[in-house]
Amino acid sequence: MLQLLSLTLAFDDARFFGSVMFNDADHPDEPPPTVLVDHAGEAPWFRLRNVDPDAQDLSVPAMVEADRIMRFILRYAPERIGRTAADFPQQP
C-alpha cells in the first residue's frame, strides 16, 4: 500500500518539473518508490518516469498514483505551480 511521502514541484516561466515519493507499507526496507515529473506540451501536460528502470510501465502503483496526483493538480490547483486552468485545457 502506497502513501504519499513527498511531492516536490518547481516551475519557471515555461515549464514545471519535480518528483513524487511514496512510502510502501508492504515493503518498508526497500527504497521509497519515486516518480519524476516533467512538463509536456500537450495533454495530459506532463510526463512521468520512474527512477526504478524496471518500473516504467504506467500500471506500476507508484506511476498510477503519481498520474492521479498530477491530473488533480493540473485540473483543480494549477496555481500551486504558478499557472491557471487555462494553461492546461482539459479533454472532455
Side-chain angles (χ1 to χ4, degrees):
M1 181 170 105
L2 295 179
Q3 296 175 332
L4 182 62
L5 174 65
S6 171
L7 170 62
T8 304
L9 292 173
F11 61 92
D12 60 20
D13 292 336
R15 24 186 319 112
F16 61 87
F17 55 92
S19 66
V20 185
M21 294 177 70
F22 300 96
N23 278 331
D24 188 345
D26 295 332
H27 305 282
D29 297 330
E30 294 182 13
T34 304
V35 177
L36 303 177
V37 179
D38 192 19
H39 176 85
E42 57 189 41
W45 309 109
F46 61 91
R47 288 184 295 270
L48 301 176
R49 189 181 57 183
N50 200 318
V51 297
D52 178 354
D54 298 326
Q56 299 303 320
D57 187 343
L58 292 177
S59 67
V60 171
M63 297 286 273
V64 170
E65 283 301 304
D67 182 81
R68 186 182 65 77
I69 289 167
M70 287 307 301
R71 287 177 189 271
F72 178 86
I73 289 171
L74 296 182
R75 183 170 193 130
Y76 298 107
E79 68 279 358
R80 302 300 241 163
I81 57 171
R83 302 293 193 269
T84 68
D87 294 324
F88 306 110
Q90 301 298 314
Q91 296 176 346

